[in-house]
Amino acid sequence: MTKYIFITGGVVSSLGKGIVAASLGNLLRARGFSVTIQKFDPYINVDPGTMSPFQHGEVFVTDDGAETDLDLGHYERFTNTSLGKYNNVTSGSVYQTVINKERQGEYLGATVQTIPHITNEIKSRIQKVVKQFKPDFLIAEIGGTIGDIEGLPFIEAIRQFRSEVGMDNSISIHVTLLPYLPTSGELKTKPSQHSVNTLRSFGIQPEILVLRTQVPVSQSEKDKIALFCSVSKECVIECRDMDTIYEVPLALEQQNLAQSVLKLLKSKEKTPNLNSWKELVNKIKHPKKEITVALAGKYTELNDAYISVVESLKHAGCAYDTKVKIKWLASEECTSYDKAKEYLKDTDALVVPGGFGFRGIEGKLNVIRYARENNLPFLGLCLGMQCAVIEYARNVAGLKGANSTEFDEKTQYPVIDLMAEQKNIGGYGGTMRLGAYECHLKDGTKAHKAYGKKIISERHRHRYEFNNDYKKIIEDAGLIISGKSPDGLLCEMVEYPKNDWFVACQFHPEFKSRPNEAHPLFLGLIKTAIKNIK
């Protein structure tokens, strides 16, 4: 029977509940248990697909085409599993389903209410993910902060669900902040006490408290919190700030978090195998080399907008005992080739990630041109590939003014154009080419050598594609189309053979990189950058 672990947060938002959930999943997986993790997001958007990255960070895409919260990326990376559309639940999707059922007469004339209709729908989403994965443990993280009005239906649904499955089969973990006052040198426990009292007022008594803190928590302070919050002393867990998020599972293991969870859920304790994870953390903390990679995008003010790209670069660097230092480059500032040259002069590689809209495009074209002309290792992702094609068409293939119809509908040379199946689609949410698709690689190309196989599967999120009307012109000018869809109609990868590493892809490889299994394209980029330094 599946055991259920519900994680809530208090005092402030952005406490790292997602990292705690992912770390617990990691520790349970290290003991041989099967785990899946679910995220409940209280916002009314159906999914984050139409939200600005400045507000919500990156949109993480699953194999089955769901646009989800970035925490699912942490879940997949820490547990080395692939999740799906049922692993991310929003208030918007729940309300939409309930309203659709009401319109179709499924409630037989009943008054539709938060209880039981909304809460029943939330509980059904828990059951769906359990039916799909059949895990030993389901970890469910509730977004936001306890007391937020939009999160109350989720809290009530959890209260009901715990009563239905039995207290031996479910526990509640509450993550709170312990503020440190440097003037008095004190950690303050009162905010955590108030947060737990708020959670109790909704009918949930947490069995475990995870305390987020900058400084060590003394045993006397832990005992005080345990007493006032009615939690066992051994279930008050310290979670201090770490040098790297990948150190968190090891820190929580030292605090016996997984052991406490198993004891409360009456599950058999198993000896964890964390050797590979310890080796990973050791490599991250003690690199032998360092390189600088420029990341040129338009959302660089918020690092979470490119979090999977950054983590993928770290994974690849770790594989070569190398620290990857990110140089954040706002593409809007690269208004000329000379400025691009100035910004890139001290870097060892360039990544141009995905995105939407015209803003910053000319800057991306300038940095890509510099990378191509100066043999700077380059990796283009989604929009990054489209920009690479536009730059090559303009400056090598002789198609002056070439562009994407996303940016200029009247361009003379639309080398990037809206996909045929997208032309009759209305609306924006969930309507792009989304999820995993096969790609066939051309023999002998850098992409083929990097992957070590001819057929791959990668995750997509886009509306525009390489325009095949310009395929011959661009190929004759020297750019290789190294990856295509199985039917040969869609260009999925391009590369410039004269450079050591100039590779771009229409898909998002960053979504499939793992800490102990870096993605081949990021490995190729970092390996080339290190080699060029030597």
Side-chain angles (χ1 to χ4, degrees):
M1 183 176 181
T2 297
K3 304 283 188 176
Y4 301 89
I5 304 163
F6 297 101
I7 298 180
T8 54
V11 184
V12 296
S13 59
S14 300
L15 272 178
K17 297 187 301 298
I19 298 298
V20 172
S23 297
L24 178 56
N26 177 290
L27 297 176
L28 293 173
R29 289 267 295 167
R31 287 166 163 78
F33 294 109
S34 60
V35 177
T36 193
I37 311 182
Q38 196 170 29
K39 176 69 182 285
F40 294 131
D41 266 318
Y43 53 72
I44 306 299
N45 302 66
V46 174
D47 58 50
T50 58
M51 296 170 69
S52 167
F54 286 125
Q55 291 214 356
H56 207 256
E58 80 170 6
V59 175
F60 188 82
V61 178
T62 58
D63 278 338
D64 61 2
E67 293 176 292
T68 72
D69 182 77
L70 62 82
D71 273 327
L72 268 75
H74 292 311
Y75 303 161
E76 287 201 354
R77 288 188 284 270
F78 276 65
T79 62
N80 196 25
T81 57
S82 291
L83 306 179
K85 60 184 179 181
Y86 296 133
N87 291 87
N88 195 194
V89 180
T90 68
S91 289
S93 67
V94 170
Y95 293 140
Q96 186 181 62
T97 299
V98 170
I99 290 170
N100 287 342
K101 287 180 178 179
E102 185 273 334
R103 293 289 83 186
Q104 293 162 10
E106 292 191 26
Y107 297 122
L108 301 176
T111 301
V112 180
Q113 298 175 292
T114 301
I115 303 171
H117 301 98
I118 297 296
T119 52
N120 282 348
E121 180 60 30
I122 292 170
K123 289 186 289 184
S124 77
R125 303 296 180 96
I126 300 173
Q127 293 159 351
K128 283 179 180 178
V129 82
V130 168
K131 184 177 180 181
Q132 179 182 2
F133 292 99
K134 299 178 176 62
D136 296 320
F137 293 91
L138 167 69
I139 302 171
E141 176 201 347
I142 296 82
T145 307
I146 193 66
D148 292 345
I149 190 168
E150 61 266 29
L152 294 182
F154 289 104
I155 300 300
E156 171 60 19
I158 290 167
R159 185 198 66 76
Q160 295 175 17
F161 191 87
R162 292 195 63 191
S163 298
E164 292 166 7
V165 300
M167 292 305 175
D168 287 345
N169 295 314
S170 71
I171 61 169
S172 168
I173 298 176
H174 194 52
V175 183
T176 70
L177 175 69
L178 250 58
Y180 176 70
L181 301 183
T183 51
S184 61
E186 289 181 295
L187 277 171
K188 306 307 289 185
T189 65
K190 194 64 70 177
S192 293
Q193 294 175 42
H194 284 304
S195 182
V196 171
N197 284 338
T198 301
L199 185 60
R200 280 175 175 169
S201 72
F202 299 135
I204 297 176
Q205 165 64 50
E207 285 80 14
I208 295 176
L209 291 180
V210 176
L211 309 176
R212 291 287 290 109
T213 173
Q214 293 176 295
V215 298
V217 183
S218 68
Q219 189 58 50
S220 63
E221 287 165 325
K222 288 183 180 180
D223 292 348
K224 178 182 178 181
I225 292 171
L227 176 64
F228 280 94
C229 297
S230 300
V231 175
S232 299
K233 293 179 181 179
E234 63 270 19
C235 291
V236 178
I237 308 295
E238 175 189 305
C239 186
R240 219 181 310 165
D241 295 347
M242 296 290 160
D243 295 332
T244 168
I245 58 173
Y246 299 110
E247 201 173 358
V248 176
L250 302 180
L252 293 178
E253 178 65 17
Q254 289 179 345
Q255 294 277 312
N256 297 318
L257 174 61
Q259 186 177 343
S260 297
V261 167
L262 294 172
K263 182 179 178 181
L264 287 164
L265 290 172
K266 294 181 170 53
S267 298
K268 184 178 179 181
E269 169 66 302
K270 298 180 182 180
T271 302
N273 182 358
L274 290 165
N275 293 335
S276 62
W277 202 262
K278 289 177 181 177
E279 184 180 350
L280 167 77
V281 171
N282 185 58
K283 283 185 174 182
I284 292 173
K285 295 183 71 174
H286 304 99
K288 296 178 181 178
K289 301 177 285 291
E290 180 176 306
I291 63 171
T292 300
V293 176
L295 199 157
K298 69 175 184 176
Y299 305 116
T300 51
E301 294 94 333
L302 181 68
N303 295 359
D304 276 359
Y306 303 112
I307 192 166
S308 288
V309 177
V310 171
E311 294 306 312
S312 298
L313 288 167
K314 291 179 181 177
H315 302 163
C318 184
Y320 292 109
D321 291 318
T322 300
K323 178 182 178 180
V324 177
K325 182 180 177 182
I326 305 296
K327 182 175 182 178
W328 295 97
L329 183 58
S331 55
E332 289 175 283
E333 297 178 5
C334 299
T335 53
S336 67
Y337 183 82
D338 288 338
K339 284 197 173 182
K341 180 179 179 180
E342 178 66 22
Y343 285 126
L344 294 173
K345 66 180 181 181
D346 296 324
T347 62
D348 305 306
L350 169 68
V351 174
V352 176
F356 300 91
F358 178 78
R359 186 165 62 86
I361 292 301
E362 293 302 319
K364 291 178 181 180
L365 299 181
N366 287 329
V367 295
I368 291 171
R369 178 187 167 194
Y370 176 85
R372 179 181 56 79
E373 293 181 348
N374 293 275
N375 196 23
L376 180 68
F378 163 73
L379 179 62
L381 312 172
C382 196
L383 179 61
M385 187 198 99
Q386 296 174 8
C387 288
V389 171
I390 293 169
E391 188 279 325
Y392 200 86
R394 288 184 184 182
N395 299 314
V396 181
L399 303 176
K400 300 300 180 184
N403 214 330
S404 166
T405 53
E406 180 182 4
F407 315 132
D408 182 2
E409 293 182 356
K410 298 179 179 179
T411 178
Q412 184 179 358
Y413 303 114
V415 293
I416 304 294
D417 197 9
L418 190 65
M419 299 176 68
E421 60 263 35
Q422 289 284 322
K423 292 183 177 179
N424 296 318
I425 291 178
Y428 292 100
T431 58
M432 288 183 278
R433 187 179 192 229
L434 293 164
Y437 289 87
E438 272 192 5
C439 173
H440 291 206
L441 303 178
K442 186 175 182 179
D443 288 337
T445 57
K446 289 182 173 64
H448 183 214
K449 292 175 183 177
Y451 280 97
K453 53 187 176 183
K454 192 168 183 178
I455 300 177
I456 61 172
S457 175
E458 294 285 1
R459 300 177 188 179
H460 294 246
R461 184 176 183 251
H462 59 99
R463 298 183 193 279
Y464 291 80
E465 266 278 2
F466 185 101
N467 187 344
N468 285 330
D469 291 346
Y470 297 91
K471 178 173 176 286
K472 186 176 187 310
I473 296 173
I474 291 175
E475 281 192 306
D476 287 348
L479 194 67
I480 293 176
I481 296 177
S482 54
K484 296 180 181 179
S485 58
D487 58 11
L489 296 179
L490 300 178
C491 168
E492 304 285 37
M493 295 190 73
V494 298
E495 55 188 67
Y496 183 54
K498 293 184 180 180
N499 283 19
D500 294 333
W501 186 268
F502 188 99
V503 177
C505 54
Q506 184 58 71
F507 44 81
H508 289 269
E510 67 269 24
F511 294 149
K512 298 189 75 170
S513 184
R514 303 288 182 261
N516 281 314
E517 193 175 342
H519 193 281
L521 297 184
F522 286 92
L523 284 172
L525 177 78
I526 299 303
K527 181 180 179 180
T528 307
I530 295 170
K531 181 182 177 182
N532 285 359
I533 292 173
K534 290 182 179 179

